[in-house]
Amino acid sequence: MTVKIFDRPDIQEFLNELSGLNSADGNPRMKEITHRLMSDLFRAIDDLNITPDEYWQGVAWLNDLGAAGQAGLVSPGLGLDHFIDERLDAIDAELGIENPTPRTIEGPLYVAGAPVEQGFARLDDGRDTDGHTLIMHGTVHGSDGKPLPGAQVEVWHCDTRGFYSHFDPTGLQSDFNMRRTIIADDQGRYKFQSILPSGYGVPPGSPTEKLLTALGRHGQRPAHIHLFVSAPDHRKLTTQINIEGDPLIDDDFAYATREGLVPHVVERTDEESIHANNLNGPFA
Ligand code: MBD
Ligand code: FE
């Protein structure tokens, strides 16, 4: 048997009441959003005939999610972070703003306060010896196409086990390992040495993984490096690059892969690398 009570006037008045629309106090925007979200939820309970057991299972899952600190992890998994980016892109398109380097999601694993270096930084503490050495360099340009001396490039990525410092369940990484803020030189150039990261997987057995499994999905990301690029009087760019060749590049549980964010990786021998990279000196 299905009953639908959503359209009843007393239920509509109940929604107004619980959303604070009958109160002179509070925040109007919060009331508006709460009214909409609660209305959509009430309607879904009606339409899908959601049982009390299903509802309380959802409440218990939300408690587990919060206890695990995973609201910010399930969010990209459910595509919300990507959807918000698509909206920002659409707003930019409307305003005629072009983004030569596409934005993509921040993810939940940034930590503020990384060590600041001038021009060049080594990101890894040298203890993850399974990693292939990675060198990345480039120039930060403003929207006028001119280099931006002194621009700030914040970079963070995980190790070869897929663990980020500050979120490492093994506790084996130093603080701010594989996290740095690099200040671009007088020609807008930055450069770093690190190791090639592995892909990331959501913690096994966690609330986020349980949901993804119930949806018939996985919780894996391809290998990637996060970047914030900022400068005075400029909008901050939040983006990532993927490591070319990763089999999950088009199967990212967080939907962060975008055309233009998969740079070509050049593989070099140690000998070739010594000639190509003078790490502390000129930008070869
Ligand atoms: C990550 O490393 C990440 O970048 C995102 C978006 C989600 C989970 C883990
Ligand atoms: Fe990440």
Side-chain angles (χ1 to χ4, degrees), residues 139-269:
T139 302
V140 181
H141 298 270
S143 56
D144 58 4
K146 291 191 190 132
L148 272 176
Q152 186 173 280
V153 178
E154 294 174 84
V155 50
W156 71 104
H157 67 79
C158 65
D159 68 8
T160 62
R161 303 163 305 161
F163 295 148
Y164 284 79
S165 62
H166 301 259
F167 301 94
D168 185 339
T170 69
L172 288 175
Q173 293 187 62
S174 51
D175 279 359
F176 295 109
N177 190 34
M178 302 178 199
R179 301 173 183 276
R180 289 294 182 277
T181 295
I182 305 167
I183 307 299
D185 73 3
D186 57 9
Q187 293 177 63
R189 298 175 304 188
Y190 68 90
K191 185 170 185 172
F192 60 83
Q193 175 186 339
S194 195
I195 57 167
L196 270 179
S198 297
Y200 167 92
V202 304
S206 68
T208 298
E209 201 208 35
K210 284 180 182 162
L211 173 63
L212 293 169
T213 301
L215 299 178
R217 294 178 48 197
H218 66 70
Q220 305 296 314
R221 296 208 58 207
H224 60 280
I225 297 173
H226 296 266
L227 299 149
F228 283 154
V229 184
S230 56
D233 303 319
H234 289 73
R235 231 163 51 155
K236 181 169 97 174
L237 170 66
T238 299
T239 193
Q240 306 179 21
I241 58 158
N242 284 116
I243 306 302
E244 189 186 38
D246 192 303
L248 290 177
I249 273 187
D250 292 312
D251 191 15
D252 177 0
F253 99 97
Y255 305 104
T257 301
R258 309 198 90 174
E259 210 181 301
L261 296 179
V262 190
H264 184 49
V265 176
V266 181
E267 207 167 333
R268 290 193 170 121
T269 63

